[in-house]
Amino acid sequence: MLKVLLSTRKCSSFVSRMRYVDRLKQDDDACSAALQTGRMFLFHRLNPLLQNTERGTFRPATLTCSDVQSVLENLGADGSLLKESVLIGCSEQNQAEFCLDVGRLDQAAVEEMVTGSFVDLRKSFFLLSGAEAPLVAKGQALLRWHQTSGFSSATGQPTRRNQAGSQRVCSSSGIISYPTMCPVVIVLVSDGTRCVLGRQAAFPRGMYSALAGFCDMGESLEEALCREVAEEVGLEVLSVSYSSSQHWPFPHSSFMLGCHASVSPAHTQLIVDRSELEDARWFSLQEVMSALQVKPRRGDPPPLWLPPKHAIAHRLITEWTQLMQTVS
Ligand SMILES: NC(=O)C1=CN([C@@H]2O[C@H](COP(=O)(O)OP(=O)(O)OC[C@H]3O[C@@H](n4cnc5c(N)ncnc54)[C@H](OP(=O)(O)O)[C@@H]3O)[C@@H](O)[C@H]2O)C=CC1
Ligand SMILES: [Mg+2]
């Protein structure tokens, strides 16, 4: 059985934070009160607001509720916009965290007032480090869901959100809807000495990644994995082991389930589905290890370029190189 070591965090504070967030999702009044003292991440048309740090890196701008109120007042906006904030979590200092899209305001005017820039999420995601990138991605995913869920798909009638923004209720039928993610399996296939990496035509030049595909309705993770590997590269998987998961915001919210898979070294011929992949190949441990050392830079791309650290594909590839080194 698989055991994933999470962390050595202090259990009691983690439990109380999770219970606090859960209460804010259930209790609109408690959530409105938390908003007054919470931290706020601003977005403009789904682009997060980033600020430069003294070290020349970037971080998402975090404002207080009163900071945002003064921005709204100064720009002549209706203060009720604050009510559109969506709860995204709770900091280790027990401060509730919200995000808000101010896309109705003039972008340049907001940027000037808060000394920051609204940056496309694809770019922001790779400029941020640690826990900030997933938090910003979560905020954007929830804001996008609200922006596209104003009407019930069952009745066509308007929906109303709760204060936390964790659900919407159809005004005519009372049907509750929740934010959705699409499950995607991502897998690094190995024959014991090499691994398969593929590239879509839309990837940056020279970049190869682990194989990935959306799970079909009714499939288990293992079934989706075996089907995708068969469809995309024509291999039959013999065994699967789970690694980890990740919320992936591009192009919309996917729930990436990362696995390793093995195939028989006697059956390794690739039959690539060219409608899905521009290319797929077997790569040796040496090729992959060299590619992991490459730093992205302008100019001619290296022969093999791997997904960046934030991507679960990077993690799968790193895990595989570590495993290969321990067995060789
Ligand atoms: N974080 C990471 O490390 C990585 C993440 N990814 C992500 O994995 C996801 C899936 O990979 P990809 O290889 O494109 O998937 P697939 O191999 O499943 O191919 C995509 C095709 O699947 C069809 N499809 C089926 N269900 C869905 C759905 N729910 N949403 C969208 N398309 C669907 C579409 O076909 P049609 O248009 O014909 O209907 C689409 O063109 C992508 O979002 C990609 O960004 C990929 C690699 C690395
Ligand atoms: Mg695919």
Side-chain angles (χ1 to χ4, degrees):
M1 193 192 297
L2 182 93
K3 191 168 165 187
V4 180
L5 182 64
L6 293 174
S7 77
T8 50
R9 61 193 167 207
K10 282 189 207 135
C11 207
S12 56
S13 79
F14 176 73
V15 170
S16 64
R17 276 191 291 127
M18 295 306 110
R19 291 193 165 183
Y20 176 54
V21 170
D22 191 43
R23 187 161 71 82
L24 299 185
K25 288 182 187 169
Q26 324 254 351
D27 183 337
D28 284 355
D29 292 337
C31 192
S32 295
L35 183 58
Q36 298 305 314
T37 55
R39 299 206 296 165
M40 186 80 80
F41 294 85
L42 284 193
F43 288 72
H44 191 276
R45 301 199 179 148
L46 299 176
N47 294 330
L49 179 68
L50 303 192
Q51 284 175 330
N52 275 305
T53 68
E54 284 158 8
R55 284 174 285 128
T57 56
F58 291 86
R59 59 155 193 241
T62 50
L63 308 175
T64 63
C65 182
S66 55
D67 292 335
V68 178
Q69 256 158 347
S70 33
V71 171
L72 299 181
E73 272 165 30
N74 276 304
L75 297 179
D78 184 353
S80 65
L81 184 61
L82 253 187
K83 287 247 159 214
E84 293 180 18
S85 306
V86 174
L87 178 70
I88 48 175
C90 175
S91 72
E92 294 203 354
Q93 292 71 41
N94 291 318
Q95 198 176 18
E97 296 170 315
F98 295 86
C99 57
L100 175 67
D101 197 310
V102 292
R104 277 176 257 159
L105 306 184
D106 180 64
Q107 178 177 333
V110 181
E111 287 177 336
E112 196 183 327
M113 286 194 70
V114 296
T115 345
S117 312
F118 291 103
V119 180
D120 176 80
L121 186 71
R122 267 188 198 273
K123 203 166 164 205
S124 315
F125 201 68
F126 298 106
L127 288 173
L128 298 173
S129 61
E132 290 171 338
L135 194 63
V136 163
K138 177 178 177 176
Q140 196 225 40
L142 284 167
L143 291 169
R144 182 195 295 279
W145 180 70
H146 283 287
Q147 289 174 13
T148 54
S149 308
F151 294 87
S152 162
S153 59
T155 65
Q157 296 301 310
T159 57
R160 273 182 286 105
R161 49 167 284 182
N162 63 344
Q163 185 50 57
S166 59
Q167 55 173 239
R168 298 190 73 97
V169 184
C170 171
S171 54
S172 86
S173 66
I175 295 170
I176 301 174
S177 53
Y178 296 94
T180 47
M181 298 190 284
C182 292
V184 172
V185 60
I186 179 160
V187 54
L188 193 68
V189 175
S190 170
D191 67 353
T193 53
R194 302 171 298 166
C195 70
V196 178
L197 299 172
R199 59 169 276 110
Q200 295 180 4
F203 282 5
R205 254 196 321 149
M207 190 179 103
Y208 282 71
S209 183
L211 304 176
F214 290 93
C215 297
D216 281 349
M217 187 67 83
E219 275 182 333
S220 68
L221 169 61
E222 301 85 325
E223 286 166 344
L225 185 156
C226 294
R227 176 184 53 74
E228 279 293 335
V229 173
E231 280 177 9
E232 294 197 350
V233 294
L235 293 176
E236 192 167 337
V237 165
L238 295 182
S239 71
V240 174
S241 63
Y242 172 77
S243 160
S244 49
S245 64
Q246 173 184 54
H247 169 249
W248 188 244
F250 313 113
H252 299 299
S253 287
S254 293
F255 180 45
M256 309 290 305
L257 295 150
C259 294
H260 294 275
S262 67
V263 295
S264 162
H267 298 99
T268 57
Q269 193 194 343
L270 300 182
I271 305 164
V272 180
D273 176 359
R274 302 281 169 191
S275 63
E276 282 278 330
L277 296 176
E278 187 181 81
D279 189 26
R281 284 190 240 158
W282 286 102
F283 289 89
S284 68
L285 176 61
Q286 197 49 53
E287 286 173 297
V288 174
M289 299 255 293
S290 312
L292 283 172
Q293 309 301 322
V294 170
K295 300 253 180 304
R297 61 187 164 87
R298 290 181 200 282
D300 280 345
L304 174 60
W305 205 75
L306 297 173
K309 287 206 168 81
H310 284 320
I312 193 168
H314 186 100
R315 178 176 181 150
L316 291 173
I317 293 166
T318 309
E319 283 173 352
W320 179 77
T321 61
Q322 287 163 353
L323 182 73
M324 287 295 106
Q325 287 174 89
T326 55
V327 295
S328 64

